[in-house]
Amino acid sequence: MKYEVVMGLETHAELDTESKLFCGCSTKFGSEPNTQTCPVCLGLPGVLPVMNKKAFEHSLKAALSLSCEISEFTNFDRKSYYYPDLPKNYQTSQNYFNIGNNGYVDIVVKGKEKRIDIHNVHLEEEAGKLVHPETSGANYSLVDFNRAGVPLLEIVTQPDMRSVEEVESYMQTLRNILLYIGVSDCKMQEGSLRFEASISLREEGSNVLGNRVEIKNLNSMKAVLKVIAYEISRQSSLLDKGEDVLMETRLWDDVDSVSRRMRSKEEAHDYRYFPEPDLVPVWIDQEWIDETRTTIPELPVSKRQRFVNEYTISDYDAGILTDDKLLADYFEECVGLSQDSPKELSNWIINDVLRELNERKTNVQDFIVSPKMLVDLVKIKPAIGSSIAKDVFVEMINTGKTAPSIVKEKSLTQMGDVSELNDIVAKVIDENPKAAEDYGKGKKSALTFLIGQTMKVTKGKANPKILTEIFKEKLSAGSK
Amino acid sequence: MLSHELSANQIKEKIIKREITAQEVIEELFEWINLKEPLIKAYLCLDRDGAFLKAKEVDKKLDNGDKVGLLAGVPVALKDNICTVDIKTTCASKILEDFIPPYDAFVVKRIKEEDAIIIGKTNLDEFAMGSSNENSAFHVTRNPWNTDCIPGGSGGGSAAAVTADTVFMALGSDTGGSVRQPSAFCGNVGCKPTYGRVSRYGLVAFASSLDQIGSVTKDVYDAALLLQVVSGHDGFDSTSATVGVPDYISDINNVDGNLKIGVPKEFFGEGLNSEVGSAVMNALEIYKKNGAELIDLSLPHCGYAVATYYIIATAEASSNLARYDGVRYGHRSQLSEDNIIDMYSRVRAEGFGSEVKRRILLGNYVLSSGFYEDYYLKASKVRNLIRNDFEDAFKKVDCIISPTCPTPAFRIGEKITDPLQMYLSDIYTIPANLVGIPGISVPCGFTNTGLPIGMQILGKHFDERKILKVAKLFENGTDFHLKKPELN
């Protein structure tokens, strides 16, 4: 049977703030366990939370960037469940009055745009981390509360996604937005960005939703994509056999690449939400919203569209350039310096700059070749030819020198003088009669050989285009 | 007069005038404590060494002619749910039996800054849940007026200590009457300020939207003095008000203009002990003689106050007490644990007493899915109606006077098996917590058997100044507050 897969995603993004959500402790990643704690984030008796304004503003900015309706009145709620990494055994979160509701994210899959609806965006606190000893038979576990209380943004979609590609595009688009607006570093290896997926299958054409399975513990986009593939096959084989898919929560095991039952619907937590009495409600007025809006930069989707229109580059290329805000900025800085060649600059960035960045595992901000340097290289290229330009680019990276100074130092300017080249070509033909003859018999590769020989003589300075023309002319004339 | 019989302000004046040293006060006080504490058992912990250390510091300041604080040398006791650095804070619960906080509560910092001397931590019903002190996990405090009787709750320890002169003043917490009710039962002055007036930072939470730190003192002047010190905004408590704190002390004897006193009929109805009722009526007559106008009032929704309170308070408590799980601090079971649920169950089964368990269960019930709207949400709505009642009333009157409690102190064991009867003991004090307004209980008479009777004065939000003045007016014309129990 053919099934349609229905998916929704919950995303947790740690917000980029100096201090935790309710106390002054640092949020720095990777410190010694329990060195960034205080009575408040340890949940000692008698302590009270005080809201981190920056975290709230970040959340508001994110909600606006995700086109949410902003609640005038927002409040916090306690979500109760027992777990040793949760100091108070309740998480201060939002349930009844979220910061943002009814937003959307536009994604592009295979050139087609699709809107994914956002159910809500809300702010909550992070839990600590359990550390289980590796020695077998150990009868204890350790808890590190450094992360407890770090501000966490939760973004919940409607079950709008229908394919692995859509989920992938949504995750990338969302991550990109969060990076663009600077509210989270989205470092998945540090747990700054995590996902929970809900997946159900239904017969194609059906309007009834199938039983939903929720998957927790997805710490990378790769894991999300793997779990979807896994669940689609698991659930469809159950349905094919005429069995029911159980409504349950499963955990993804990245090592064994399987999902395992965590709890059934009957065992689901009753979180006993109620308004957090230790915090006061936050009223968001229009002025605050307007002010926040001015801090939101152009978002990736509109930037991509603008690049296509303004610079007449392909949508695909625009997509690559806008995938990273810093790269997009780099591109625009280049174009600002030299308006006549956006397409060529885009090619250089996508083919050469990106390759170097990947090899060097660095970002464009720290890249030695500045936009000005790249523009200078592109400007000087007609005089040196493409292949030398590539060499100069490598030289620029290695030495930090500009293209004009490298070209001057090594006297790399191309020979374009036809009469001078004519003499050299004649000499090469004389010295390689066999190759000349082969070409006359129709062996095309002989021409490549001859051009190579000429390049050797000219130390690569000959313009290959002009060279080809001269050879063709001379050799065809000779065969006559 | 022996030094411990003086009021806090009197002893402070003597110390400042160098008629007695702070160390002598502490010495004499501890002698008295040694004699009387075994009869009353008001304290859970005494800090003799700390007290002497601080007394020495105060004396030294005075020797050097340095400026001293508003509570210079005054011995103060703290209810044992207020966190004190390096001194155990148990909440009278086994679950925190050995808990030593690494920080001082806001109010503790404030009184230390004003040179008060902390004597010790007083007994309470476990986690401030109770009206008799019988829910303490450690022992029952006795009422100094009759040691067969309870001192009230939850702050019975503080009230009994002040009455027995084993301390000069004390801080407590009032969630449904825990400062005012024991003060009424023990014959001293108990004041619960407006919600938000005093920071809750460091007060171990029972019900966050109702908890308020308050004062237990020998007279109204001392209440003004202590409130002056602990009131004000605190950046560590989001619910702490930014409203300015007026001077409570300097013109406490001047009641401005014609005083209009509201007398709500709902507080004088069924269940009110006749001796208590007539003592309060007599008090109202005294006000009338002093030129006050008595205005009959109705607060129609107050009949639902106790029910509303026990939904909101238990809901918040069930969540506030969730952190006591044995993971980071507090009681840990000696029995073996098979898994984490096992561990939680044992820690909490062994660590909490039965009243605390009852309230956690109730609270979890009213918050559970499907019941939230019927209980918690409905209770929140009723709470608003009660608030409206008071707002309407305060358009007509300056303050409202009622009995503090429907009965005088009852006997130990009398109500412990009947929680509902016990809960009704707070019927007149609970509305102020639900509404967040200030209230003060002052002694206004005695029963035939010699038990004190308390009168409650309620004021508008942040109008502590007014109710202190109204209380002082009564006190100036009476001597109930000066009576001392015979302690043998």
Side-chain angles (χ1 to χ4, degrees):
Chain A
M1 210 181 288
K2 281 218 124 197
Y3 301 106
E4 182 184 38
V5 55
V6 177
M7 290 173 289
L9 221 56
E10 284 180 20
T11 306
H12 286 102
E14 280 186 1
L15 293 174
D16 200 359
T17 55
E18 290 289 314
S19 56
K20 293 185 179 180
L21 185 54
F22 298 128
C23 63
C25 289
S26 166
T27 56
K28 200 170 145 260
F29 179 81
S31 303
E32 283 295 300
N34 297 312
T35 53
Q36 286 162 198
T37 58
C38 73
V40 174
C41 56
L42 287 176
L44 294 195
V47 297
L48 296 169
V50 178
M51 174 70 62
N52 179 335
K53 195 172 178 217
K54 187 90 196 170
F56 193 90
E57 285 170 346
H58 274 350
S59 311
L60 180 57
K61 197 170 171 181
L64 284 169
S65 303
L66 300 171
S67 307
C68 285
E69 292 163 9
I70 304 300
S71 317
E72 191 188 1
F73 172 90
T74 68
N75 204 0
F76 290 82
D77 300 293
R78 292 184 180 177
K79 177 182 181 178
S80 295
Y81 63 94
Y82 279 80
Y83 207 63
D85 67 4
L86 193 62
K88 295 167 294 190
N89 286 319
Y90 63 79
Q91 179 193 30
T92 302
S93 179
Q94 296 190 297
N95 183 57
Y96 296 112
F97 298 97
N98 300 305
I99 289 183
N101 294 297
N102 305 324
Y104 59 83
V105 171
D106 288 330
I107 61 167
V108 179
V109 176
K110 291 175 188 151
K112 272 174 75 185
E113 201 166 283
K114 174 163 179 175
R115 179 157 291 187
I116 306 298
D117 283 336
I118 302 289
H119 182 272
N120 77 75
V121 172
H122 66 262
L123 177 58
E124 60 188 24
E125 60 181 331
E126 178 77 287
K129 195 175 126 197
L130 287 186
V131 183
H132 302 291
E134 280 171 24
T135 42
S136 63
N139 63 346
Y140 66 94
S141 289
L142 301 170
V143 204
D144 176 4
F145 289 108
N146 280 353
R147 256 180 28 177
V150 166
L152 203 58
L153 190 70
E154 182 168 337
I155 300 151
V156 185
T157 72
Q158 296 283 10
D160 281 357
M161 285 163 274
R162 296 287 179 273
S163 68
V164 177
E165 290 78 15
E166 285 181 14
V167 172
E168 185 172 21
S169 173
Y170 168 75
M171 288 191 293
Q172 277 166 352
T173 309
L174 178 66
R175 176 174 178 274
N176 221 349
I177 291 171
L178 296 177
L179 284 172
Y180 260 63
I181 62 175
V183 298
S184 172
D185 64 18
C186 293
K187 286 183 186 161
M188 277 175 278
Q189 66 279 15
E190 293 182 6
S192 298
L193 193 65
R194 310 191 300 268
F195 304 95
E196 289 175 23
S198 74
I199 307 166
S200 67
L201 260 52
R202 64 180 171 196
E203 219 173 292
E204 219 163 62
S206 163
N207 288 324
V208 188
L209 286 170
N211 274 349
R212 188 179 55 171
V213 173
E214 289 185 357
I215 320 278
K216 288 189 182 284
N217 198 29
L218 304 169
N219 295 327
S220 69
M221 294 191 192
K222 246 186 218 152
V224 175
L225 302 177
K226 276 203 265 182
V227 85
I228 293 172
Y230 178 87
E231 275 299 311
I232 291 174
S233 105
R234 186 185 73 87
Q235 292 185 25
S236 53
S237 76
L238 280 173
L239 293 172
D240 283 345
K241 282 187 276 182
E243 291 175 27
D244 282 338
V245 172
L246 292 177
M247 207 169 200
E248 61 189 1
T249 302
R250 298 175 74 88
L251 270 184
W252 176 245
D253 180 336
D254 216 16
V255 179
D256 295 345
S257 284
V258 291
S259 72
R260 293 197 177 93
R261 173 179 302 168
M262 186 182 164
R263 53 176 179 255
S264 68
K265 186 190 165 203
E266 288 72 29
E267 297 162 310
H269 285 308
D270 178 352
Y271 291 120
R272 304 186 302 279
Y273 282 105
F274 79 102
E276 166 61 271
D278 286 332
L279 288 169
V280 286
V282 181
W283 295 84
I284 307 173
D285 59 14
Q286 195 55 42
E287 198 183 332
W288 194 3
I289 292 175
D290 293 342
E291 220 170 86
T292 308
R293 242 186 247 286
T294 62
T295 67
I296 298 173
E298 183 183 28
L299 294 177
V301 171
S302 29
K303 200 185 276 285
R304 178 176 182 163
Q305 197 54 53
R306 183 169 62 80
F307 278 14
V308 171
N309 297 338
E310 212 166 295
Y311 306 123
T312 54
I313 57 174
S314 72
D315 180 64
Y316 179 80
D317 287 354
I320 294 174
L321 289 173
T322 54
D323 205 30
D324 174 355
K325 179 167 187 291
L326 294 174
L327 198 68
D329 290 348
Y330 185 91
F331 169 70
E332 286 216 277
E333 212 176 310
C334 289
V335 175
L337 293 164
S338 164
Q339 280 91 350
D340 30 300
S341 49
K343 172 73 189 145
E344 186 166 11
L345 285 165
S346 147
N347 288 342
W348 271 97
I349 292 170
I350 290 169
N351 299 323
D352 302 278
V353 175
L354 268 186
R355 186 193 58 238
E356 289 299 330
L357 293 179
N358 286 337
E359 267 174 28
R360 279 152 217 271
K361 296 198 182 350
T362 177
N363 66 51
V364 73
Q365 223 171 5
D366 303 327
F367 190 46
I368 194 161
V369 178
S370 67
K372 170 87 169 65
M373 286 163 75
L374 187 70
V375 166
D376 286 346
L377 173 64
V378 171
K379 277 183 179 161
I380 210 170
K381 203 193 88 176
I384 59 175
S386 305
S387 75
I388 290 185
K390 302 271 172 188
D391 296 341
V392 171
F393 180 66
V394 173
E395 188 75 11
M396 285 161 71
I397 294 165
N398 291 335
T399 63
K401 289 179 183 162
T402 64
S405 75
I406 292 168
V407 167
K408 198 177 161 201
E409 244 170 58
K410 305 202 164 180
S411 18
L412 295 175
T413 316
Q414 249 175 9
M415 292 167 70
D417 185 340
V418 179
S419 68
E420 197 184 341
L421 283 177
N422 258 327
D423 296 348
I424 296 170
V425 167
K427 212 177 150 212
V428 170
I429 292 174
D430 280 352
E431 282 167 10
N432 300 282
K434 175 84 172 62
E437 199 181 315
D438 285 351
Y439 181 77
K441 287 177 188 162
K443 198 173 169 189
K444 292 272 189 290
S445 64
L447 180 60
T448 317
F449 171 78
L450 287 168
I451 289 174
Q453 290 304 305
T454 317
M455 282 297 188
K456 236 183 218 170
V457 177
T458 61
K459 288 179 183 141
K461 281 190 274 184
N463 184 318
K465 236 182 201 167
I466 299 170
L467 217 49
T468 308
E469 290 308 308
I470 298 174
F471 267 112
K472 277 185 178 167
E473 197 192 300
K474 277 201 188 305
L475 290 176
S476 62
S479 68
K480 262 178 201 167
Chain B
M1 205 182 225
L2 296 165
S3 71
H4 57 257
E5 291 183 350
L6 297 171
S7 76
N9 190 54
Q10 284 167 336
I11 200 73
K12 179 189 107 177
E13 292 295 327
K14 269 176 145 350
I15 293 168
I16 289 175
K17 287 182 191 142
R18 314 307 313 268
E19 290 169 22
I20 188 168
T21 67
Q23 288 168 87
E24 283 163 356
V25 171
I26 298 300
E27 213 158 300
E28 288 180 31
L29 183 66
F30 270 96
E31 270 173 39
W32 183 249
I33 288 172
N34 286 341
L35 279 175
K36 300 303 171 189
E37 175 61 8
L39 304 174
I40 307 299
K41 295 163 97 176
Y43 286 95
L44 288 175
C45 149
L46 286 158
D47 184 22
R48 198 190 153 91
D49 294 345
F52 271 106
L53 216 65
K54 180 72 184 179
K56 220 177 255 178
E57 188 192 312
V58 173
D59 285 336
K60 202 171 168 197
K61 274 191 188 177
L62 289 164
D63 288 343
N64 295 340
D66 293 344
K67 195 174 174 289
V68 288
L70 276 175
L71 298 175
V74 176
V76 178
L78 301 166
K79 190 177 179 181
D80 205 23
N81 59 352
I82 297 174
C83 285
T84 40
V85 73
D86 296 339
I87 305 175
K88 277 202 289 188
T89 300
T90 68
C91 295
S93 178
K94 281 201 176 124
I95 215 155
L96 287 177
E97 190 164 5
D98 298 312
F99 179 69
I100 300 173
Y103 73 103
D104 270 335
F106 173 85
V107 291
V108 174
K109 269 194 199 153
R110 288 293 301 122
I111 64 166
K112 280 182 175 175
E113 282 162 10
E114 296 295 338
D115 291 322
I117 298 172
I118 293 167
I119 298 299
K121 308 292 288 286
T122 53
N123 199 14
L124 63 152
D125 286 293
E126 185 178 4
F127 283 102
M129 295 177 186
S131 307
S132 70
N133 238 264
E134 291 164 290
N135 296 330
S136 167
F138 304 120
H139 58 249
V140 181
T141 297
R142 310 273 163 161
N143 191 317
W145 293 95
N146 179 344
T147 51
D148 290 335
C149 286
I150 54 97
S154 66
S158 286
V162 170
T163 299
D165 290 330
T166 53
V167 79
F168 287 79
M169 53 179 23
L171 283 171
S173 64
D174 191 313
T175 306
S178 288
V179 159
R180 288 162 290 157
Q181 185 253 32
S183 292
F185 285 180
C186 290
N188 42 45
V189 175
C191 183
K192 178 205 97 77
T194 310
Y195 183 80
R197 180 54 106 187
V198 180
S199 167
R200 291 184 291 121
Y201 192 78
L203 168 66
V204 180
F206 157 18
S208 312
S209 75
L210 302 158
D211 291 344
Q212 177 59 52
I213 286 179
S215 60
V216 182
T217 55
K218 295 181 183 183
D219 61 29
V220 177
Y221 189 94
D222 282 358
L225 183 64
L226 187 49
L227 288 179
Q228 196 76 60
V229 170
V230 297
S231 295
H233 179 66
D234 172 20
F236 285 94
D237 176 358
S238 309
T239 63
S240 149
T242 48
V243 181
V245 181
D247 181 347
Y248 296 136
I249 303 167
S250 57
D251 64 343
I252 193 162
N253 287 313
N254 305 324
V255 176
D256 0 79
N258 293 326
L259 186 62
K260 285 184 189 159
I261 297 173
V263 184
K265 65 175 184 199
E266 288 80 6
F267 288 61
F268 291 86
E270 204 188 326
L272 176 63
N273 170 291
S274 60
E275 282 184 283
V276 173
S278 47
V280 176
M281 292 318 283
N282 289 340
L284 287 169
E285 284 307 311
I286 292 176
Y287 278 112
K288 210 171 169 182
K289 275 182 201 143
N290 277 282
E293 188 187 343
L294 302 184
I295 297 171
D296 287 335
L297 280 180
S298 173
L299 300 163
H301 297 97
C302 277
Y304 304 105
V306 173
T308 303
Y309 174 85
Y310 275 95
I311 290 170
I312 290 170
T314 56
E316 292 180 3
S318 70
S319 154
N320 284 330
L321 271 62
R323 69 189 63 192
Y324 307 111
D325 57 8
V327 172
R328 287 143 298 132
Y329 52 81
H331 177 76
R332 186 77 175 253
S333 179
Q334 296 304 304
L335 298 169
S336 72
E337 296 147 349
D338 292 336
N339 54 49
I340 189 75
I341 300 296
D342 223 31
M343 175 187 148
Y344 290 149
S345 310
R346 294 223 163 109
V347 163
R348 292 167 70 82
E350 293 169 11
F352 289 135
S354 58
E355 180 62 26
V356 172
K357 285 177 189 163
R358 180 177 5 254
R359 297 200 193 189
I360 291 173
L361 288 172
L362 269 171
N364 279 324
Y365 177 78
V366 299
L367 289 178
S368 51
S369 162
F371 296 107
Y372 174 80
E373 288 78 9
D374 290 346
Y375 291 104
Y376 186 86
L377 215 57
K378 190 163 274 180
S380 303
K381 288 176 183 167
V382 177
R383 187 179 186 173
N384 280 333
L385 294 176
I386 297 171
R387 185 176 292 141
N388 294 345
D389 282 357
F390 277 90
E391 269 169 23
D392 290 346
F394 282 123
K395 283 174 193 156
K396 291 175 260 178
V397 300
D398 301 305
C399 66
I400 291 169
I401 288 183
S402 76
T404 307
C405 314
T407 68
F410 41 91
R411 301 179 85 79
I412 292 169
E414 190 180 328
K415 294 185 180 177
I416 194 70
T417 53
D418 189 348
L420 286 182
Q421 272 306 308
M422 188 76 93
Y423 294 173
L424 285 175
S425 147
D426 295 328
I427 189 164
Y428 303 145
T429 47
I430 278 173
N433 300 85
L434 288 171
V435 177
I437 52 173
I440 189 168
S441 175
V442 291
C444 71
F446 287 87
T447 64
N448 288 334
T449 56
L451 289 170
I453 295 168
M455 166 177 73
Q456 173 176 247
I457 306 163
L458 300 173
K460 298 173 193 173
H461 283 103
F462 299 105
D463 204 7
E464 287 82 5
R465 196 155 164 264
K466 174 76 81 189
I467 60 169
L468 286 165
K469 286 179 175 194
V470 174
K472 191 74 166 74
L473 177 69
F474 180 76
E475 195 182 82
N476 286 344
T478 55
D479 64 355
F480 302 114
H481 64 291
L482 297 174
K483 296 245 174 5
K484 300 273 180 195
E486 280 173 36
L487 278 170
N488 299 309

